Amino acid sequence: MLRLAATSCALGVSLSLAACGSNGGSRELDTRAVVIGIDGADWKVIDALAAAGAMPNLTRLRERGVSGPIETLNDIALSPVIWTSVATGKTAAKHGVAWFMVDQPDGTRVPVRSYNRKTLAIWNILAEHDLAPTVVGWWATFPAENVGRGAIVSDALGFHGFGATARGGDDGQKTHPSSLFAEVDVLVPPEQQVSTEFVQRFVHISAEDYRDEMFDPARYPKRDPANPIHLFQQYAVTAQGYTRVAEELLAKRPYDLFMM
């Protein structure tokens, strides 16, 4: 599956970039890398869409490079587990992330946190070598860790699905540096701005039914995690927001490794 195609690439990039850091000798080349992961993507779906001309950007990337299927993790095939394995090179037994949610001392459950990870991630290693990683929207990155000259826009900026989010957490811990939060938070649109036209690209629903069902704080006091339209709005603004954040940071912020 494509979601693990980034594993070997990211780990190889991490080691090669770290070897070029301030503790590993001079850097003769201005080496940078971008790792883009697509959760749950499958080549069977992608190939059909590409053949229909629906994925021109990914098609161009594949034509200019190398692509292919890769085995996924089968022991605990869940998004937070897999993405933490991509970032650490370790299985759940070693990195410690085994589920979407974790229990809190007060009995509540929250999306898995960065401090639940027991091992270093790629971005920690690069920061230790005075390199600048940029991480956007990666699972289990809230609270954002200190990565020196690098940047982290944690998974607390968007929604996690199934009605869960860390958006109510401390804004100062959602990004590194903390001052970055004000710059990127405005790039995530509110759910009520998800247009009918956008929804109809993915869901068979009339404009009238969407207006009746959509989350709008002027009409609904709370989001309903059992309402699939409310959940879709959350997915949509999360994807749109992180895409805008990535474009902004790629254009304006120096990096050695960019991951999203």
Side-chain angles (χ1 to χ4, degrees):
M1 297 180 71
L2 182 61
R3 60 182 175 187
L4 267 190
T7 308
S8 57
C9 171
L11 294 177
V13 165
S14 171
L15 293 174
S16 61
L17 288 177
C20 297
S22 59
N23 296 327
S26 61
R27 299 178 66 192
E28 297 180 358
L29 300 174
D30 183 17
T31 305
R32 298 193 301 170
V34 176
V35 176
I36 301 174
I38 306 175
D39 193 286
D42 191 298
W43 287 120
K44 294 179 182 179
V45 177
I46 291 171
D47 287 342
L49 291 171
M55 303 193 76
N57 295 324
L58 184 57
T59 298
R60 283 195 294 271
L61 284 173
R62 295 177 70 185
E63 290 173 346
R64 294 168 54 190
V66 177
S67 65
I70 190 170
E71 291 293 329
T72 188
L73 296 176
N74 294 315
D75 52 348
I76 310 178
L78 302 173
S79 295
V81 182
I82 291 175
W83 288 112
T84 305
S85 291
V86 171
T88 63
K90 300 183 184 298
T91 59
K94 293 186 177 180
H95 65 56
V97 174
W99 191 246
F100 292 92
M101 310 288 283
V102 292
D103 294 324
Q104 296 289 88
D106 62 2
T108 60
R109 307 191 81 191
V110 296
V112 62
R113 306 299 206 208
S114 59
Y115 50 70
N116 297 124
R117 193 184 69 241
K118 299 177 181 178
T119 57
L120 294 177
I122 294 174
W123 45 85
N124 304 125
I125 297 170
L126 295 183
E128 286 182 353
H129 288 79
D130 196 32
L131 293 171
T134 294
V135 182
V136 176
W138 209 271
W139 264 101
T141 47
F142 173 78
E145 298 168 281
N146 185 336
V147 288
R149 297 188 298 111
I152 291 180
V153 177
S154 76
D155 55 333
L157 204 70
F159 294 90
H160 293 80
F162 44 83
T165 180
R167 285 169 61 90
D170 181 359
D171 290 346
Q173 294 185 312
K174 292 178 181 177
T175 64
H176 170 82
S178 58
S179 58
L180 184 59
F181 173 77
E183 178 183 338
V184 297
D185 184 53
V186 296
L187 300 177
V188 181
E191 294 113 294
Q192 62 269 27
Q193 286 188 10
V194 177
S195 68
T196 301
E197 292 74 20
F198 181 86
V199 174
Q200 288 175 334
R201 291 170 55 190
F202 305 93
V203 181
H204 294 294
I205 188 171
S206 68
E208 182 180 3
D209 285 343
Y210 176 58
R211 285 193 297 270
D212 290 340
E213 291 291 330
M214 67 179 291
F215 170 74
D216 186 334
R219 298 167 52 215
Y220 288 95
K222 293 180 63 176
R223 301 174 180 90
D224 180 3
N227 185 321
I229 297 301
H230 289 196
L231 292 177
F232 180 86
Q233 289 174 270
Q234 294 177 13
Y235 297 142
V237 299
T238 298
Q240 293 170 350
Y242 281 131
T243 298
R244 293 172 183 174
V245 169
E247 291 172 343
E248 185 81 4
L249 296 183
L250 281 168
K252 296 183 178 180
R253 193 176 185 93
Y255 63 89
D256 293 294
L257 174 63
F258 191 100
M259 303 175 67
M260 73 168 295

